[in-house]
Amino acid sequence: MATITVESLCKRFGDVVAVDGVGFEIGRGEMFGLLGPNGAGKTTTIGILCGLVRPDSGTVCLDGKSDPMRPDVRASLGVVPQSLALYDELTAQENLEFFGRINGLAGRRLRDRVAACLDLAGLMQRRKDRVATFSGGMKRRLNLVCSLLHEPAILLLDEPTVGVDPQSRNLIFDTIEKLRSDGRTILYTTHYMEEAERLCDRVAILDHGKMLVLDTVANLIAKHGGASHIEIGLDEAPQDPAGLTAKLGAGELGIEGNMIRFQTMEPAQALATLNQCGVRYKTLKVDTANLEDVFLNLTGRRLRD
Amino acid sequence: MAKLLALAVKDLRVLMASKGNLFWVFGFPLLFALLFGAVYAGAGKGPSGMKLAVVDEDKSEFSQLYVTHLESEEALKVTRLDREQALTQVRKGQIAAAVVIRPGFGDGFSGFSDANNPKLQIASDPGQKMQGAYLEGLLAKAQFEVMAKRFRDRKWMRGQMDTWRGQIKRAGGLPGADANVYLRFFDSLDNFLTDVNDRTYKGGLGNGILNVAKLDVQREYDGPRTPFQITFPQAILWAILGCVATFAISIVRERTTGTFQRLRVGPISQVDILAGKGLACFLTCAMVIVLLVMVGKLVFKVPIGSPAMFLLGAVCTCLCFVGLMMLVSTLGKTEQSVVGAGWAVLMVLAMFGGAMMPLAFMPPWMRDISHVSPIK
Ligand SMILES: Nc1ncnc2c1ncn2[C@@H]1O[C@H](COP(=O)(O)OP(=O)(O)OP(=O)(O)O)[C@@H](O)[C@H]1O
Ligand SMILES: [Mg+2]
């Protein structure tokens, strides 16, 4: 059933342990997020999955076939590299046609697929322009669709949205969501937690080559997200701060004029209590724990590299 | 196969898209062929107007004839100076060389043959070997031509005969029989000179000796029929070098930009990827060769020996260079390092292989090394 099975992968580069015992399974049609700070080993893991990097140990199985070093195993694979891998000297269309041919397309099907991909990337108008003249976002979009030509069943996307504006990002999201609804299996790496939250069914967080957690986004937030931050603006300063604190049971209450700030593991409960106490608030801000909190709680706030 | 072709076509497109690449692969070699062909064509007649000082210490009739003859030589610009001035000017580089005509130069044949006491001394910059050799040739040619004029002068010949006869008689060192042989030879020569009529003498003997001088001249034109015959093959080498360098760089560029990885991830083996590169490199080499050969053949009438052999040679050369290209591309990890290392290797090979200098001009040690260079 699973289309990607990875077992205890290890890879060292000299002294650096890039991947250390990583293992996971990704089912058919699932969208799987691989998160981690810089240098965590995400790109290396993808490299092993697509046969670019030979692991020191561990096994990879794609659609039941092991050893992605073999060209035929990679036939159902689409890989979007982290670095822009395009021919600057060629036009968008020439790039697509070339990668299409390499992936075994020809004739009418090649033409149709190239047109479809140009459309998907929103580059129909600029298809006759050289890639060298493209903006960063346009190149990113082209970089993505160059791997979709042969409609691969498994997609490995390595940070497909770095350095693009919100418009381009939304277009890329739409593309990816469409791919997922088509039933493709997708492995997605990113540094943008909100992307993973929005797109991924399950998420694994990697650090120093080791897999720290693997679960659904909701479960991860519940387990590792920590407290929610609530900020309330009142009409007037509260009469009985001590009583309020006791009722909320939320530890320390930060009161500053007519602003109240506090943290709680149960934000819904806390708000209900406030209502019962007849507290009237003008503004309300609830920061529930998110994936970013999970990420920072697990990997620490220290800068990497 | 379709994938291989797609790879090659892509590479050609990328090549064509860059003006710099186009220049190195097509423009530069053609320019090289034309420019150096033109330069050699001008130089084929020898350097014109070489400045030469003549110091006539002999002041004989013959030496004066000789100096006048040198002055009439187109390739030389002759000034008459004394020894001091002449040598100073050579040292300062104001003139190319000085010729000192020693006393006794005009004493007939002995002036030519006495190796221990040369009657002609040449002072020139030892660094300018080519020029020195060229000058020696010119001087010898002038000497022959002046001598030839003299041989045609019957009176002078008979006077010369008398001198020799006197010398032989006086010397007494020779055994009697030997001396007699010489004397009888001179007698009969004397008779011949007295009896033969003017026309026969000048026409026969005179031309005969002049021929010697002419032969000497002809040897200079014995080389390639047109200088483009040297420069076009050299240009082909340059073109191939350009191709090799360009493609080696393009392999590394693909590696650094990541397109190489993208290809490797595709359903295609690494061997195929390299084969595609090789094919593109081979095709480009072939195109340049065809272009250069066409221009050479049609515009400059450069002869090609046997077309079949040439084709075979060209194909082999290209294949060899495709291999070289692969090798060069592995020399470094970044574009810069490959560019550096690649050009260094290619330049050294080119230098020893004769892409810059014709092999014929090389000193022997370089020629020995040149056998290992595939460029040759
Ligand atoms: N080819 C290589 N040679 C040496 N070290 C490498 C190589 N590739 C990766 N590494 C090292 O392995 C570690 C993991 O790198 P990797 O690129 O997999 O990280 P990443 O999670 O993709 O980081 P980023 O988010 O910055 O892209 C890093 O410490 C990196 O320096
Ligand atoms: Mg990475």
Side-chain angles (χ1 to χ4, degrees):
Chain A
M1 182 58 207
T3 41
I4 303 179
T5 312
V6 173
E7 264 171 46
S8 48
L9 281 188
C10 289
K11 177 70 191 177
R12 305 176 69 98
F13 294 105
D15 287 342
V16 180
V17 183
V19 176
D20 190 0
V22 169
F24 51 80
E25 282 190 7
I26 306 177
R28 191 175 302 278
E30 188 184 3
M31 180 134 181
F32 186 88
L34 199 56
L35 309 180
N38 289 135
K42 305 180 293 294
T43 302
T44 308
T45 305
I46 289 194
I48 295 171
L49 282 178
C50 63
L52 273 181
V53 178
R54 190 182 290 280
D56 297 334
S57 64
T59 56
V60 173
C61 224
L62 299 174
D63 250 343
K65 286 178 278 189
S66 60
D67 190 12
M69 292 262 176
R70 292 203 337 254
D72 60 302
V73 176
R74 298 194 297 257
S76 60
L77 204 60
V79 183
V80 178
Q82 179 176 0
S83 55
L84 294 167
L86 302 164
Y87 294 100
D88 276 350
E89 299 88 345
L90 304 184
T91 66
Q93 183 163 358
E94 285 169 343
N95 266 288
L96 283 166
E97 279 170 357
F98 169 64
F99 287 118
R101 287 213 173 82
I102 292 303
N103 281 294
L105 303 182
R108 183 172 181 80
R109 182 159 154 69
L110 177 67
R111 246 176 301 139
D112 290 350
R113 284 305 300 158
V114 167
C117 284
L118 280 170
D119 207 30
L120 212 56
L123 290 172
M124 210 36 151
Q125 247 89 65
R126 301 288 304 267
R127 67 182 187 278
K128 292 245 154 67
D129 290 345
R130 284 220 222 156
V131 171
T133 66
F134 282 9
S135 73
M138 293 160 82
K139 286 184 190 170
R140 270 290 152 207
R141 271 139 52 197
L142 185 60
N143 193 45
L144 172 67
V145 293
C146 274
S147 303
L148 307 179
L149 282 154
H150 56 302
E151 302 185 277
I154 302 174
L155 272 168
L156 310 178
L157 312 180
D158 198 351
E159 302 191 26
T161 57
V162 265
V164 301
D165 62 13
Q167 286 87 346
S168 282
R169 174 172 303 190
N170 279 332
L171 192 131
I172 292 176
F173 280 0
D174 291 346
T175 309
I176 293 172
E177 273 170 342
K178 195 165 150 289
L179 289 168
R180 185 172 62 161
S181 65
D182 286 352
R184 286 173 224 284
T185 307
I186 301 173
L187 184 125
Y188 188 95
T189 84
T190 182
H191 288 133
Y192 303 108
M193 297 303 135
E194 70 279 9
E195 287 184 7
E197 252 184 283
R198 170 174 164 185
L199 296 170
C200 298
D201 302 314
R202 285 189 307 150
V203 163
I205 295 180
L206 226 60
D207 197 11
H208 300 299
K210 282 199 171 66
M211 219 166 69
L212 302 177
V213 286
L214 194 171
D215 212 331
T216 61
V217 175
N219 284 350
L220 283 178
I221 292 173
K223 256 188 252 168
H224 305 281
S228 302
H229 298 254
I230 295 179
E231 193 182 286
I232 300 167
L234 303 171
D235 284 333
E236 54 211 34
Q239 315 287 306
D240 176 19
L244 206 58
T245 309
K247 278 191 194 134
L248 281 171
E252 217 172 308
L253 211 58
I255 299 177
E256 216 176 277
N258 40 8
M259 292 294 280
I260 302 176
R261 290 193 191 82
F262 62 94
Q263 295 183 16
T264 172
M265 296 301 286
E266 304 285 344
Q269 188 77 54
L271 288 180
T273 313
L274 280 173
N275 275 336
Q276 279 165 20
C277 298
V279 176
R280 316 230 128 260
Y281 34 83
K282 251 186 4 198
T283 61
L284 171 67
K285 199 170 143 215
V286 182
D287 276 341
T288 49
N290 57 17
L291 199 56
E292 186 152 344
D293 296 314
V294 175
F295 187 84
L296 291 174
N297 287 340
L298 287 171
T299 59
R301 288 176 188 267
R302 216 160 36 80
L303 202 63
R304 298 310 162 93
D305 297 326
Chain B
M1 195 60 212
K3 288 179 188 176
L4 215 64
L5 224 68
L7 278 163
V9 168
K10 176 266 300 174
D11 268 323
L12 293 181
R13 277 205 175 131
V14 170
L15 177 85
M16 300 297 169
S18 156
K19 293 203 178 68
N21 288 348
L22 276 185
F23 173 75
W24 284 109
V25 174
F26 291 100
F28 175 72
L30 201 59
L31 255 175
F32 179 92
L34 300 184
L35 207 73
F36 280 83
V39 169
Y40 287 156
K45 297 178 197 86
S48 53
M50 190 197 287
K51 282 191 189 157
L52 178 72
V54 179
V55 183
D56 186 357
E57 294 179 347
D58 185 33
K59 300 216 163 52
S60 65
E61 185 200 347
F62 183 72
S63 73
Q64 271 168 30
L65 252 171
Y66 184 66
V67 173
T68 330
H69 195 86
L70 284 181
E71 281 170 341
S72 71
E73 178 66 58
E74 242 178 85
L76 296 173
K77 250 180 154 166
V78 177
T79 45
R80 297 183 197 219
L81 297 172
D82 69 30
R83 195 188 181 90
E84 278 308 302
Q85 285 171 318
L87 293 184
T88 327
Q89 289 202 9
V90 171
R91 230 172 280 128
K92 285 189 180 156
Q94 288 163 340
I95 52 174
V99 179
V100 180
I101 303 171
R102 302 283 295 153
F105 178 72
D107 296 353
F109 289 108
S110 53
F112 279 137
S113 47
D114 192 345
N116 293 326
N117 182 18
K119 296 293 188 267
L120 267 186
Q121 293 175 337
I122 303 175
S124 69
D125 179 357
Q128 304 260 356
K129 283 222 175 64
M130 282 271 287
Q131 197 183 311
Y134 184 68
L135 182 64
E136 271 174 47
L138 279 179
L139 292 177
K141 181 180 144 206
Q143 207 164 351
F144 266 113
E145 279 167 4
V146 174
M147 283 305 283
K149 258 190 213 155
R150 268 208 149 163
F151 279 131
R152 269 176 286 178
D153 181 352
R154 242 195 288 187
K155 261 222 291 297
W156 180 84
M157 273 305 269
R158 291 186 65 186
Q160 194 70 30
M161 256 3 112
D162 275 340
T163 325
W164 287 333
R165 265 189 292 205
Q167 276 174 352
I168 288 170
K169 277 182 194 144
R170 249 177 289 125
L174 285 170
D178 286 358
N180 273 336
V181 173
Y182 281 113
L183 287 176
R184 237 179 288 135
F185 170 69
F186 286 134
D187 281 342
S188 56
L189 205 62
D190 200 13
N191 283 340
F192 167 75
L193 287 171
T194 331
D195 294 345
V196 75
N197 71 45
D198 263 2
R199 248 184 81 217
T200 318
Y201 183 71
K202 280 193 180 143
L205 191 59
N207 273 349
I209 287 176
L210 257 184
N211 267 345
V212 176
K214 265 193 202 147
L215 254 182
D216 199 41
V217 177
Q218 255 174 0
R219 219 179 318 146
E220 290 178 16
Y221 297 113
D222 226 21
R225 257 181 286 167
T226 134
F228 292 104
Q229 206 172 335
I230 297 182
T231 62
F232 266 92
Q234 279 181 321
I236 290 180
L237 284 179
W238 274 116
I240 296 178
L241 288 183
C243 272
V244 170
T246 311
F247 276 93
I249 292 166
S250 86
I251 289 187
V252 182
R253 261 201 76 193
E254 293 219 23
R255 236 185 256 147
T256 52
T257 58
T259 46
F260 190 73
Q261 284 81 341
R262 180 163 225 153
L263 290 177
R264 275 182 59 193
V265 162
I268 175 173
S269 73
Q270 215 172 329
V271 178
D272 287 340
I273 299 173
L274 286 181
K277 269 284 177 219
L279 181 63
C281 185
F282 179 82
L283 288 177
T284 316
C285 284
M287 276 193 312
V288 191
I289 292 180
V290 167
L291 174 85
L292 284 172
V293 167
M294 295 278 271
V295 173
K297 181 107 186 110
L298 298 180
V299 183
F300 297 99
K301 313 256 181 300
V302 174
I304 304 167
S306 138
M309 281 307 283
F310 178 81
L311 203 71
L312 190 72
V315 169
C316 291
T317 318
C318 289
L319 285 179
C320 163
F321 277 97
V322 168
L324 194 66
M325 181 265 296
M326 304 276 176
L327 184 79
V328 167
S329 74
T330 61
L331 286 178
K333 278 226 171 347
T334 66
E335 267 169 72
Q336 280 79 10
S337 64
V338 167
V339 172
W343 274 114
V345 169
L346 292 179
M347 280 302 189
V348 170
L349 289 179
M351 256 151 59
F352 288 115
M356 292 187 201
M357 258 188 282
L359 280 179
F361 289 174
M362 283 187 181
W365 63 270
M366 268 172 104
R367 226 177 299 172
D368 288 342
I369 299 179
S370 80
H371 296 312
V372 255
S373 171
I375 290 175
K376 191 177 159 196

